[in-house]
Amino acid sequence: MAIDLELLLKAYASGIFPMADARDDPDTFWVEPKSRAIIPLDNFRMSRSLRKTIRTDRFRVTADLAFADVIAICAEEAADRRETWINPEIEEAFNRLHQLGFAHSIECWQTDETTGEELLVGGLYGLSIGGAFCGESMFSRARDASKVALAWLVARLKAGRYELLDCQFMTDHLRSLGAIEISQQAYLAELKGVRGYAPSSVS
């Protein structure tokens, strides 16, 4: 059954998001964690090596050019995860939200030295609610690709005067980039304080 998009937007505006137990799990459930990982936009940490990678233009970075491809790759099994929480129901809902202008992606492309073909080697996607961006998932098929995508996202959010970057669950990778963990209560207070946090209608 398709996820109702109005309900989905209201859930995010209330600090709740959907997940599945596995890629092929037909059931979707709603999650309200006790704590949240967020990246304060002024606290994003870029290592010297990451700054160097960005300066060398190793990747071509785009926005909203290949949203469906990004979420499809994020939903695949990878070396660092045997299962993902993105089932077809969630994937289909976010593709519809992207078409309506609510969901966005950042893509990193790299040219294959053998074939000359430009390949999608990294990216991320998430949902925009007013001045908050709810990051959903990211992937990397080349060293630092997901970090570059995140750095570009942070830059775009700052330029757009966003106030909150939600990362859902803390990981060592996110912590190394400046993420902090706060209680769900504190997250809801921050969410309600951002510009236009209540979702717009999809109609």
Side-chain angles (χ1 to χ4, degrees):
M1 181 181 295
I3 298 175
D4 181 88
L5 299 189
E6 294 278 4
L7 176 62
L8 185 58
L9 290 174
K10 288 178 181 178
Y12 274 89
S14 301
I16 302 169
F17 53 87
M19 293 187 73
D21 282 328
R23 171 62 175 166
D24 59 357
D25 188 345
D27 297 321
T28 301
F29 56 90
W30 299 97
V31 179
E32 184 178 18
K34 293 182 179 180
S35 59
R36 302 289 285 247
I38 66 170
I39 295 180
L41 294 174
D42 291 332
N43 194 48
F44 181 67
R45 298 175 191 159
M46 281 201 291
S47 65
R48 289 183 179 178
S49 61
L50 180 56
R51 291 179 187 275
K52 181 179 180 180
T53 296
I54 292 173
R55 286 197 302 269
T56 57
D57 290 328
R58 183 187 305 169
F59 306 107
R60 183 172 75 93
V61 184
T62 58
D64 288 338
L65 188 63
F67 183 91
D69 293 325
V70 169
I71 191 171
I73 295 172
C74 286
E76 292 176 354
E77 180 180 329
D80 59 345
R81 60 175 187 272
R82 298 188 61 184
E83 290 287 358
T84 75
W85 52 268
I86 307 169
N87 66 4
E89 187 177 57
I90 294 172
E91 183 178 358
E92 188 269 343
F94 268 87
N95 275 315
R96 285 189 289 147
L97 286 176
H98 171 65
Q99 293 169 3
L100 294 168
F102 292 97
H104 303 281
S105 61
I106 301 289
E107 305 93 15
C108 286
W109 307 84
Q110 192 170 48
T111 301
D112 186 290
E113 294 181 357
T114 302
T115 65
E117 179 184 4
E118 191 173 49
L119 305 175
L120 180 60
V121 296
L124 58 83
Y125 79 95
L127 180 70
S128 179
I129 303 178
F133 188 87
C134 304
E136 289 294 301
S137 187
M138 64 175 66
F139 77 94
S140 185
R141 290 177 169 176
R143 183 178 178 181
D144 288 339
S146 63
K147 292 181 181 180
V148 170
L150 185 57
W152 276 76
L153 173 66
V154 169
R156 289 176 68 91
L157 295 182
K158 285 183 176 181
R161 297 185 179 180
Y162 277 68
E163 302 161 74
L164 179 63
L165 173 53
D166 170 34
C167 302
Q168 296 181 347
F169 299 111
M170 179 64 81
T171 65
D172 291 340
H173 175 65
L174 290 173
R175 184 177 284 109
S176 71
L177 295 169
I180 61 172
E181 200 165 33
I182 62 175
S183 69
Q184 176 73 352
Q185 184 178 5
Y187 172 77
L188 290 174
E190 289 210 23
L191 185 61
K192 290 180 180 180
V194 304
R195 164 181 47 84
Y197 91 98
S200 302
S201 171
V202 297
S203 58

